């Protein structure tokens, strides 16, 4: 594959609020790619989410930012352990995120979703490696 890393850019309202939220969820911030207007949240060594304040984000695009009551994408994250899904989603809700659904356990997959402080949807899941 010719792709080395992924940087997903999403708009946010408040850099400090987002920093607190995502570090409390256990993610690290790559300070080398962060500034007073954006944060680089490290999902894993090859996947990063750039949280960019709305004023800077609008300079990167030639259209309006989608209103909070709309959605263009769901950020799905495959966790290495089932317990990690519940741990992160419970912590997100405790920090002010909105619970989207109840946890779903289908045997081969366990998933749960939340809406972050800026209205972005995150779906965390775990795939059972023993399922045939």
């Amino acid at each position: 594959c010719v792709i080395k890393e992924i940087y997903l850019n999403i708009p946010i309202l408040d850099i400090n609020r987002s920093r607190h939220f995502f570090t409390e969820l256990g993610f690290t911030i790559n300070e080398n790619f962060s500034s007073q207007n954006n944060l680089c949240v490290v999902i894993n060594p090859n996947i990063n989410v750039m949280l960019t304040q709305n004023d800077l984000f609008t300079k990167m695009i030639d259209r309006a930012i989608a209103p909070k009551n709309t959605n263009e994408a769901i950020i799905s994250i495959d966790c290495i352990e089932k317990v990690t899904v519940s741990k992160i989603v419970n912590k997100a809700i405790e920090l002010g995120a909105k619970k989207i659904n109840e946890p779903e356990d289908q045997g081969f997959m366990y998933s749960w979703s939340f809406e972050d402080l800026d209205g972005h949807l995150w779906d965390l899941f775990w795939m059972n490696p023993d399922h045939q």
Side-chain angles (χ1 to χ4, degrees):
C1 181
V2 297
I3 306 301
K4 184 175 138 183
E5 294 179 272
I6 294 174
Y7 289 85
L8 173 66
N9 290 273
I10 59 176
I12 59 168
L13 293 174
D14 185 301
I15 202 88
N16 293 323
R17 179 180 72 160
S18 292
R19 177 183 289 275
H20 175 74
F21 181 79
F22 284 96
T23 56
E24 287 293 312
L25 291 182
F27 296 106
T28 60
I29 306 297
N30 181 337
E31 298 296 347
N32 293 327
F33 293 150
S34 299
S35 71
Q36 72 266 14
N37 296 311
N38 69 308
L39 294 174
C40 180
V41 178
V42 179
I43 304 299
N44 76 23
N46 298 319
I47 300 173
N48 305 275
V49 178
M50 298 297 293
L51 306 176
T52 306
Q53 287 199 164
N54 285 353
D55 55 344
L56 178 58
F57 193 88
T58 57
K59 293 177 183 175
M60 298 166 46
I61 58 176
D62 65 352
R63 59 181 79 178
I65 294 173
K68 191 173 180 180
N69 65 346
T70 63
N71 202 71
E72 292 185 2
I74 299 172
I75 303 163
S76 295
I77 298 176
D78 184 2
C79 298
I80 60 172
E81 294 179 313
K82 183 178 180 177
V83 67
T84 303
V85 172
S86 294
K87 179 180 173 186
I88 292 174
V89 176
N90 278 319
K91 184 68 173 180
I93 293 166
E94 177 184 316
L95 292 167
K98 180 181 173 187
K99 181 169 65 168
I100 297 300
N101 59 358
E102 295 300 323
E104 295 181 43
D105 193 341
Q106 299 176 2
F108 69 95
M109 182 174 78
Y110 177 78
S111 65
W112 199 6
S113 302
F114 67 89
E115 179 182 314
D116 73 15
L117 305 177
D118 290 285
H120 305 293
L121 302 180
W122 296 77
D123 177 49
L124 282 71
F125 65 94
W126 168 80
M127 299 293 287
N128 185 340
D130 298 326
H131 182 76
Q132 302 294 1

